[in-house]
Amino acid sequence: TRSGILAPADTSATMSTTNADDSVYNPGDLAIPNFTVPPHPSESTKNEGSPWRRRLICIAVSLGILIAAAIGIMLTLTGGQGPQAIFIQEDPPGLDETNRWSLNSRNGLDLFVMNSCEDLWTPIFDEYIAAWDNGTPDALTLTTGKFPHDPECGAYPGRANVCNGNYGNTEWRGLNTAFLRNGLVHHSVAKLNDYHLDRESESQKKYTMCHELGHAFGLPHTDENYYNFDRGDCLDYTLRPRNNLSPGEFNFNLLYSLYGSANGDPMTSAAGESLVRPSEGNNARPSGENNFQDEEEYEENEDDDERRLDDPIRRLGSPPAEMEDDTPASVMEKYVTVRACLEDYSCAECVDETLFDYGNVRMLHENDQGEACEFDLGEGYTIQTHKLLVR
């Protein structure tokens, strides 16, 4: 070949050329490579951000739905009071809200509690007598007796009587009525309404028993808001009775402040705080007044002390002897009338139903969960009723 004229290409051979910088390349490298046009920077950012933005929107919407649902549930649970009702804790009661039984020189409250319930209630009755009787601190010495079923729930001076029965579709599932003389408890009766409780849970039955016994000992409610967080004690209103099945330390301390130590110990709370039993005011024992629990009864109870060490519940096999009661007949007539009315009607209705134009009527509290009121029967006597209502 002549200089400057290339020979025909040999397709089976690989041609290479040396660049000025001695790098070697193949002719095929001169081919234009396949590529895609890169997106505009703003478009790239938009495409990358879209999934995250969509996720954030979904999360925000889901949270909004959950919050709205939670508010709706809370409004339903609180009866329209608003979510804040869940977080409101009421101030606990003080001694001025209690009812005090008569005492003699002994410390603590030594009380006979009659079990006039049907046998099916006895295990629950015994469970909560033991729970209240063995508190820390200990202010109660309880004696019990099992008596024939008494749905009418008779009243015995110086005694607490607990009864059950089908009382019909009343507004209450549990009720306690205290009869007071000069500000001190003369007797107490508690009723458990099987019309409602028969169809309710075991926890509700236990809660109601514990609740009404607490009233029998003279205690008020620790909290009257059904919708807030549960305190854990059975004198706290609740929608979840399984959470409030014990008497609770607060109530043991309040009883200790009210009655002193059942063991004669210095009056200090479970937390070591000093507790002082009131000596003045409405709940003080009137000077020189005869005690319903007289000295003969105390001597009899002393004989039971050794037996009580083995059995947390002291039992007597026969009804308590009738004790002398000097309550005027006119007062007892009013008592019977008002008590019967309060078991069938609300406090407000009984003012009209009984034409109660004597004495004063005092509402202690009233809401859709419970009510309590006090009727002044005259001559230093009052009747006070607490109702645990059915919602």
Side-chain angles (χ1 to χ4, degrees):
T1 56
R2 290 181 293 177
S3 177
I5 300 176
L6 297 175
D10 183 356
T11 57
S12 63
T14 301
M15 295 179 62
S16 64
T17 305
T18 302
N19 292 328
D21 59 358
D22 294 329
S23 62
V24 179
Y25 64 90
N26 292 321
D29 293 339
L30 297 176
I32 299 174
N34 294 324
F35 67 92
T36 58
V37 178
H40 188 275
S42 62
E43 186 69 22
S44 175
T45 303
K46 178 180 178 181
N47 290 336
E48 290 180 2
S50 293
W52 291 105
R53 185 159 56 188
R54 286 195 294 270
R55 290 178 186 175
L56 289 174
I57 292 174
C58 289
I59 292 172
V61 171
S62 299
L63 286 175
I65 293 174
L66 288 174
I67 291 172
I71 292 174
I73 292 172
M74 286 189 287
L75 287 173
T76 300
L77 291 177
T78 61
Q81 295 185 36
Q84 71 276 4
I86 293 179
F87 304 101
I88 296 174
Q89 290 290 335
E90 297 183 353
D91 293 333
L95 286 172
D96 58 337
E97 299 176 63
T98 61
N99 291 324
R100 187 166 175 242
W101 286 78
S102 299
L103 294 171
N104 69 356
S105 59
R106 273 199 170 189
N107 283 332
L109 172 63
D110 199 330
L111 182 65
F112 190 101
V113 184
M114 300 173 61
N115 176 4
S116 299
C117 297
E118 293 176 284
D119 290 344
L120 59 88
W121 276 98
T122 294
I124 297 177
F125 174 88
D126 286 351
E127 177 181 349
Y128 281 98
I129 287 291
W132 281 105
D133 192 38
N134 292 281
T136 303
D138 186 5
L140 301 177
T141 301
L142 303 178
T143 305
T144 70
K146 180 68 179 76
F147 305 110
H149 181 220
D150 178 17
E152 297 301 319
C153 217
Y156 294 83
R159 313 292 187 185
N161 196 9
V162 181
C163 314
N164 77 294
N166 186 335
Y167 301 112
N169 190 18
T170 63
E171 60 182 358
W172 51 270
R173 61 166 59 89
L175 174 146
N176 179 271
T177 300
F179 184 50
L180 295 91
R181 182 173 70 179
N182 296 326
L184 296 173
V185 179
H186 177 279
H187 69 254
S188 172
V189 295
K191 284 188 170 184
L192 312 171
N193 191 353
D194 288 336
Y195 180 89
H196 301 295
L197 291 168
D198 275 350
R199 65 192 75 183
E200 295 182 311
S201 67
E202 186 77 359
S203 293
Q204 184 66 70
K205 293 180 175 69
K206 290 184 174 184
Y207 171 80
T208 304
M209 175 68 78
C210 183
H211 187 97
E212 300 310 331
L213 282 173
H215 286 319
F217 304 138
L219 294 174
H221 299 128
T222 53
D223 187 286
E224 293 171 352
N225 182 351
Y226 262 83
Y227 311 112
N228 58 9
F229 293 112
D230 294 324
R231 294 172 50 94
D233 69 75
C234 60
L235 285 166
D236 169 27
Y237 280 166
T238 181
L239 295 171
R240 301 156 294 275
R242 64 185 179 277
N243 294 342
N244 287 358
L245 292 181
S246 70
E249 181 181 341
F250 176 85
N251 290 313
F252 288 139
N253 282 328
L254 190 57
L255 286 169
Y256 205 47
S257 297
L258 187 60
Y259 297 115
S261 170
N263 303 316
D265 298 329
M267 295 183 65
T268 56
S269 70
E273 300 171 343
S274 176
L275 298 172
V276 179
R277 185 175 61 192
S279 58
E280 299 180 354
N282 291 335
N283 287 325
R285 178 171 179 255
S287 175
E289 181 177 331
N290 291 331
N291 192 336
F292 297 122
Q293 296 172 314
D294 57 23
E295 294 302 324
E296 292 182 3
E297 179 187 352
Y298 275 112
E299 291 175 3
E300 178 182 341
N301 287 342
E302 286 174 359
D303 296 335
D304 294 329
D305 285 345
E306 183 176 350
R307 176 154 50 91
R308 184 171 181 268
L309 297 176
D310 298 325
D311 184 356
I313 306 173
R314 292 188 297 173
R315 307 173 192 277
L316 298 181
S318 59
E322 289 293 335
M323 303 181 69
E324 182 177 351
D325 184 13
D326 57 357
T327 304
S330 59
V331 171
M332 287 306 301
E333 182 180 353
K334 296 175 185 178
Y335 165 81
V336 171
T337 301
V338 174
R339 178 182 162 186
C341 184
L342 289 173
E343 292 177 1
D344 292 332
Y345 302 98
S346 69
C347 292
E349 290 173 321
C350 283
V351 175
D352 297 328
E353 183 72 18
T354 61
L355 300 177
F356 201 79
D357 55 357
Y358 39 82
N360 299 318
V361 179
R362 183 166 66 102
M363 289 299 303
L364 304 178
H365 85 87
E366 183 180 20
N367 56 33
D368 62 340
Q369 296 92 39
E371 70 171 12
C373 57
E374 182 177 85
F375 282 60
D376 186 347
L377 305 178
E379 301 185 51
Y381 292 88
T382 56
I383 180 174
Q384 188 179 112
T385 295
H386 287 264
K387 298 182 183 181
L388 183 61
L389 300 183
V390 178
R391 299 184 64 256

mmCIF file of all heavy atoms in Angstrom, residues 259-291:
data_model
loop_
_atom_site.group_PDB
_atom_site.id
_atom_site.type_symbol
_atom_site.label_atom_id
_atom_site.label_comp_id
_atom_site.label_asym_id
_atom_site.label_seq_id
_atom_site.Cartn_x
_atom_site.Cartn_y
_atom_site.Cartn_z
ATOM 1 N N TYR A 259 -61.898 6.923 116.247
ATOM 2 C CA TYR A 259 -62.160 6.059 117.389
ATOM 3 C C TYR A 259 -60.933 5.726 118.242
ATOM 4 O O TYR A 259 -61.080 5.221 119.346
ATOM 5 C CB TYR A 259 -62.775 4.740 116.909
ATOM 6 C CG TYR A 259 -64.099 4.903 116.229
ATOM 7 C CD1 TYR A 259 -64.262 4.587 114.878
ATOM 8 C CD2 TYR A 259 -65.214 5.387 116.923
ATOM 9 C CE1 TYR A 259 -65.485 4.728 114.250
ATOM 10 C CE2 TYR A 259 -66.442 5.531 116.304
ATOM 11 C CZ TYR A 259 -66.565 5.200 114.960
ATOM 12 O OH TYR A 259 -67.779 5.353 114.339
ATOM 13 N N GLY A 260 -59.749 5.966 117.732
ATOM 14 C CA GLY A 260 -58.554 5.561 118.444
ATOM 15 C C GLY A 260 -58.155 4.134 118.104
ATOM 16 O O GLY A 260 -58.718 3.494 117.216
ATOM 17 N N SER A 261 -57.190 3.614 118.831
ATOM 18 C CA SER A 261 -56.625 2.298 118.558
ATOM 19 C C SER A 261 -57.406 1.200 119.252
ATOM 20 O O SER A 261 -57.670 1.269 120.453
ATOM 21 C CB SER A 261 -55.156 2.247 119.002
ATOM 22 O OG SER A 261 -54.670 0.927 118.946
ATOM 23 N N ALA A 262 -57.755 0.144 118.504
ATOM 24 C CA ALA A 262 -58.434 -1.003 119.107
ATOM 25 C C ALA A 262 -57.510 -1.776 120.020
ATOM 26 O O ALA A 262 -57.958 -2.535 120.878
ATOM 27 C CB ALA A 262 -58.965 -1.922 118.009
ATOM 28 N N ASN A 263 -56.193 -1.595 119.856
ATOM 29 C CA ASN A 263 -55.211 -2.326 120.653
ATOM 30 C C ASN A 263 -54.594 -1.475 121.751
ATOM 31 O O ASN A 263 -53.657 -1.911 122.419
ATOM 32 C CB ASN A 263 -54.093 -2.849 119.739
ATOM 33 C CG ASN A 263 -54.638 -3.729 118.634
ATOM 34 O OD1 ASN A 263 -55.484 -4.580 118.887
ATOM 35 N ND2 ASN A 263 -54.179 -3.528 117.411
ATOM 36 N N GLY A 264 -55.073 -0.241 121.893
ATOM 37 C CA GLY A 264 -54.512 0.635 122.897
ATOM 38 C C GLY A 264 -53.165 1.203 122.530
ATOM 39 O O GLY A 264 -52.447 1.729 123.383
ATOM 40 N N ASP A 265 -52.787 1.105 121.260
ATOM 41 C CA ASP A 265 -51.497 1.626 120.819
ATOM 42 C C ASP A 265 -51.559 3.143 120.707
ATOM 43 O O ASP A 265 -52.637 3.727 120.570
ATOM 44 C CB ASP A 265 -51.116 1.041 119.459
ATOM 45 C CG ASP A 265 -50.974 -0.467 119.523
ATOM 46 O OD1 ASP A 265 -50.583 -0.973 120.597
ATOM 47 O OD2 ASP A 265 -51.251 -1.138 118.510
ATOM 48 N N PRO A 266 -50.388 3.817 120.744
ATOM 49 C CA PRO A 266 -50.372 5.264 120.477
ATOM 50 C C PRO A 266 -50.991 5.545 119.127
ATOM 51 O O PRO A 266 -50.845 4.764 118.178
ATOM 52 C CB PRO A 266 -48.884 5.606 120.500
ATOM 53 C CG PRO A 266 -48.264 4.528 121.314
ATOM 54 C CD PRO A 266 -49.060 3.284 121.040
ATOM 55 N N MET A 267 -51.692 6.638 119.012
ATOM 56 C CA MET A 267 -52.438 6.927 117.806
ATOM 57 C C MET A 267 -51.539 7.508 116.728
ATOM 58 O O MET A 267 -51.290 8.702 116.656
ATOM 59 C CB MET A 267 -53.595 7.880 118.110
ATOM 60 C CG MET A 267 -54.646 7.269 119.018
ATOM 61 S SD MET A 267 -56.031 8.388 119.295
ATOM 62 C CE MET A 267 -56.701 8.507 117.648
ATOM 63 N N THR A 268 -51.020 6.609 115.899
ATOM 64 C CA THR A 268 -50.234 7.023 114.741
ATOM 65 C C THR A 268 -50.753 6.282 113.525
ATOM 66 O O THR A 268 -51.252 5.167 113.628
ATOM 67 C CB THR A 268 -48.740 6.719 114.921
ATOM 68 O OG1 THR A 268 -48.578 5.328 115.187
ATOM 69 C CG2 THR A 268 -48.147 7.522 116.065
ATOM 70 N N SER A 269 -50.651 6.902 112.373
ATOM 71 C CA SER A 269 -51.114 6.299 111.133
ATOM 72 C C SER A 269 -50.115 5.268 110.656
ATOM 73 O O SER A 269 -49.031 5.106 111.220
ATOM 74 C CB SER A 269 -51.301 7.374 110.058
ATOM 75 O OG SER A 269 -50.038 7.863 109.656
ATOM 76 N N ALA A 270 -50.481 4.571 109.562
ATOM 77 C CA ALA A 270 -49.575 3.600 108.972
ATOM 78 C C ALA A 270 -48.302 4.272 108.502
ATOM 79 O O ALA A 270 -47.245 3.654 108.435
ATOM 80 C CB ALA A 270 -50.265 2.876 107.812
ATOM 81 N N ALA A 271 -48.386 5.564 108.189
ATOM 82 C CA ALA A 271 -47.209 6.304 107.732
ATOM 83 C C ALA A 271 -46.428 6.904 108.903
ATOM 84 O O ALA A 271 -45.457 7.622 108.702
ATOM 85 C CB ALA A 271 -47.634 7.414 106.773
ATOM 86 N N GLY A 272 -46.858 6.630 110.124
ATOM 87 C CA GLY A 272 -46.146 7.136 111.285
ATOM 88 C C GLY A 272 -46.583 8.508 111.741
ATOM 89 O O GLY A 272 -45.998 9.091 112.649
ATOM 90 N N GLU A 273 -47.659 9.047 111.136
ATOM 91 C CA GLU A 273 -48.122 10.374 111.502
ATOM 92 C C GLU A 273 -49.015 10.297 112.740
ATOM 93 O O GLU A 273 -49.760 9.346 112.928
ATOM 94 C CB GLU A 273 -48.892 10.995 110.337
ATOM 95 C CG GLU A 273 -48.062 11.131 109.070
ATOM 96 C CD GLU A 273 -48.922 11.533 107.883
ATOM 97 O OE1 GLU A 273 -50.154 11.393 107.987
ATOM 98 O OE2 GLU A 273 -48.356 11.969 106.872
ATOM 99 N N SER A 274 -48.943 11.321 113.571
ATOM 100 C CA SER A 274 -49.749 11.354 114.779
ATOM 101 C C SER A 274 -51.205 11.598 114.427
ATOM 102 O O SER A 274 -51.532 12.445 113.602
ATOM 103 C CB SER A 274 -49.249 12.463 115.714
ATOM 104 O OG SER A 274 -50.089 12.570 116.848
ATOM 105 N N LEU A 275 -52.104 10.831 115.047
ATOM 106 C CA LEU A 275 -53.532 10.981 114.842
ATOM 107 C C LEU A 275 -54.170 11.312 116.181
ATOM 108 O O LEU A 275 -53.887 10.676 117.198
ATOM 109 C CB LEU A 275 -54.142 9.693 114.294
ATOM 110 C CG LEU A 275 -53.617 9.254 112.921
ATOM 111 C CD1 LEU A 275 -54.156 7.872 112.585
ATOM 112 C CD2 LEU A 275 -54.037 10.248 111.852
ATOM 113 N N VAL A 276 -55.066 12.294 116.167
ATOM 114 C CA VAL A 276 -55.692 12.746 117.406
ATOM 115 C C VAL A 276 -57.183 12.510 117.329
ATOM 116 O O VAL A 276 -57.835 12.939 116.369
ATOM 117 C CB VAL A 276 -55.403 14.243 117.655
ATOM 118 C CG1 VAL A 276 -56.079 14.688 118.941
ATOM 119 C CG2 VAL A 276 -53.904 14.485 117.720
ATOM 120 N N ARG A 277 -57.733 11.808 118.285
ATOM 121 C CA ARG A 277 -59.170 11.580 118.313
ATOM 122 C C ARG A 277 -59.855 12.839 118.796
ATOM 123 O O ARG A 277 -59.428 13.449 119.778
ATOM 124 C CB ARG A 277 -59.493 10.415 119.243
ATOM 125 C CG ARG A 277 -60.975 10.034 119.226
ATOM 126 C CD ARG A 277 -61.213 8.815 120.071
ATOM 127 N NE ARG A 277 -60.846 9.042 121.452
ATOM 128 C CZ ARG A 277 -60.739 8.067 122.340
ATOM 129 N NH1 ARG A 277 -60.900 6.825 121.983
ATOM 130 N NH2 ARG A 277 -60.423 8.350 123.600
ATOM 131 N N PRO A 278 -60.924 13.263 118.132
ATOM 132 C CA PRO A 278 -61.593 14.495 118.544
ATOM 133 C C PRO A 278 -62.225 14.341 119.911
ATOM 134 O O PRO A 278 -62.778 13.321 120.248
ATOM 135 C CB PRO A 278 -62.657 14.698 117.457
ATOM 136 C CG PRO A 278 -62.913 13.323 116.932
ATOM 137 C CD PRO A 278 -61.585 12.610 117.013
ATOM 138 N N SER A 279 -62.149 15.403 120.700
ATOM 139 C CA SER A 279 -62.780 15.388 122.012
ATOM 140 C C SER A 279 -63.897 16.416 122.112
ATOM 141 O O SER A 279 -64.595 16.487 123.103
ATOM 142 C CB SER A 279 -61.733 15.679 123.098
ATOM 143 O OG SER A 279 -61.111 16.932 122.853
ATOM 144 N N GLU A 280 -64.038 17.214 121.051
ATOM 145 C CA GLU A 280 -65.074 18.227 121.045
ATOM 146 C C GLU A 280 -65.788 18.203 119.710
ATOM 147 O O GLU A 280 -65.317 17.626 118.748
ATOM 148 C CB GLU A 280 -64.474 19.611 121.282
ATOM 149 C CG GLU A 280 -63.767 19.737 122.642
ATOM 150 C CD GLU A 280 -63.192 21.108 122.848
ATOM 151 O OE1 GLU A 280 -63.247 21.908 121.889
ATOM 152 O OE2 GLU A 280 -62.700 21.386 123.930
ATOM 153 N N GLY A 281 -66.915 18.889 119.632
ATOM 154 C CA GLY A 281 -67.634 19.009 118.375
ATOM 155 C C GLY A 281 -68.816 18.055 118.322
ATOM 156 O O GLY A 281 -69.144 17.358 119.278
ATOM 157 N N ASN A 282 -69.456 17.996 117.153
ATOM 158 C CA ASN A 282 -70.674 17.216 117.004
ATOM 159 C C ASN A 282 -70.462 15.738 117.219
ATOM 160 O O ASN A 282 -71.374 15.013 117.588
ATOM 161 C CB ASN A 282 -71.269 17.451 115.606
ATOM 162 C CG ASN A 282 -71.799 18.850 115.454
ATOM 163 O OD1 ASN A 282 -72.144 19.484 116.436
ATOM 164 N ND2 ASN A 282 -71.851 19.346 114.221
ATOM 165 N N ASN A 283 -69.248 15.243 116.928
ATOM 166 C CA ASN A 283 -69.005 13.817 117.022
ATOM 167 C C ASN A 283 -68.472 13.383 118.380
ATOM 168 O O ASN A 283 -68.169 12.218 118.592
ATOM 169 C CB ASN A 283 -68.007 13.393 115.943
ATOM 170 C CG ASN A 283 -68.642 13.411 114.579
ATOM 171 O OD1 ASN A 283 -69.815 13.090 114.457
ATOM 172 N ND2 ASN A 283 -67.889 13.780 113.567
ATOM 173 N N ALA A 284 -68.332 14.317 119.309
ATOM 174 C CA ALA A 284 -67.838 13.941 120.623
ATOM 175 C C ALA A 284 -68.931 13.240 121.424
ATOM 176 O O ALA A 284 -70.115 13.498 121.243
ATOM 177 C CB ALA A 284 -67.359 15.179 121.371
ATOM 178 N N ARG A 285 -68.531 12.389 122.327
ATOM 179 C CA ARG A 285 -69.499 11.698 123.174
ATOM 180 C C ARG A 285 -69.979 12.654 124.258
ATOM 181 O O ARG A 285 -69.175 13.209 125.004
ATOM 182 C CB ARG A 285 -68.842 10.480 123.823
ATOM 183 C CG ARG A 285 -69.761 9.716 124.760
ATOM 184 C CD ARG A 285 -69.102 8.415 125.162
ATOM 185 N NE ARG A 285 -69.952 7.683 126.073
ATOM 186 C CZ ARG A 285 -69.739 7.578 127.385
ATOM 187 N NH1 ARG A 285 -68.695 8.186 127.910
ATOM 188 N NH2 ARG A 285 -70.550 6.882 128.142
ATOM 189 N N PRO A 286 -71.274 12.882 124.360
ATOM 190 C CA PRO A 286 -71.767 13.803 125.380
ATOM 191 C C PRO A 286 -71.391 13.349 126.775
ATOM 192 O O PRO A 286 -71.455 12.161 127.095
ATOM 193 C CB PRO A 286 -73.291 13.761 125.165
ATOM 194 C CG PRO A 286 -73.469 13.269 123.767
ATOM 195 C CD PRO A 286 -72.330 12.359 123.520
ATOM 196 N N SER A 287 -71.005 14.285 127.576
ATOM 197 C CA SER A 287 -70.572 13.964 128.939
ATOM 198 C C SER A 287 -71.732 13.376 129.737
ATOM 199 O O SER A 287 -72.838 13.918 129.762
ATOM 200 C CB SER A 287 -70.049 15.227 129.630
ATOM 201 O OG SER A 287 -69.745 14.961 130.982
ATOM 202 N N GLY A 288 -71.475 12.239 130.389
ATOM 203 C CA GLY A 288 -72.460 11.636 131.264
ATOM 204 C C GLY A 288 -73.530 10.841 130.549
ATOM 205 O O GLY A 288 -74.392 10.255 131.187
ATOM 206 N N GLU A 289 -73.490 10.768 129.196
ATOM 207 C CA GLU A 289 -74.542 10.043 128.481
ATOM 208 C C GLU A 289 -74.294 8.546 128.568
ATOM 209 O O GLU A 289 -73.171 8.069 128.425
ATOM 210 C CB GLU A 289 -74.563 10.458 127.009
ATOM 211 C CG GLU A 289 -75.645 9.747 126.218
ATOM 212 C CD GLU A 289 -75.675 10.237 124.789
ATOM 213 O OE1 GLU A 289 -75.314 11.397 124.568
ATOM 214 O OE2 GLU A 289 -76.055 9.450 123.911
ATOM 215 N N ASN A 290 -75.340 7.783 128.812
ATOM 216 C CA ASN A 290 -75.194 6.346 128.873
ATOM 217 C C ASN A 290 -74.794 5.809 127.514
ATOM 218 O O ASN A 290 -75.322 6.230 126.489
ATOM 219 C CB ASN A 290 -76.514 5.684 129.310
ATOM 220 C CG ASN A 290 -76.848 5.993 130.750
ATOM 221 O OD1 ASN A 290 -75.952 6.202 131.557
ATOM 222 N ND2 ASN A 290 -78.139 6.049 131.060
ATOM 223 N N ASN A 291 -73.889 4.863 127.526
ATOM 224 C CA ASN A 291 -73.431 4.245 126.285
ATOM 225 C C ASN A 291 -74.314 3.056 125.971
ATOM 226 O O ASN A 291 -74.670 2.280 126.853
ATOM 227 C CB ASN A 291 -71.969 3.793 126.467
ATOM 228 C CG ASN A 291 -71.328 3.415 125.160
ATOM 229 O OD1 ASN A 291 -72.006 3.066 124.216
ATOM 230 N ND2 ASN A 291 -70.016 3.497 125.133
#
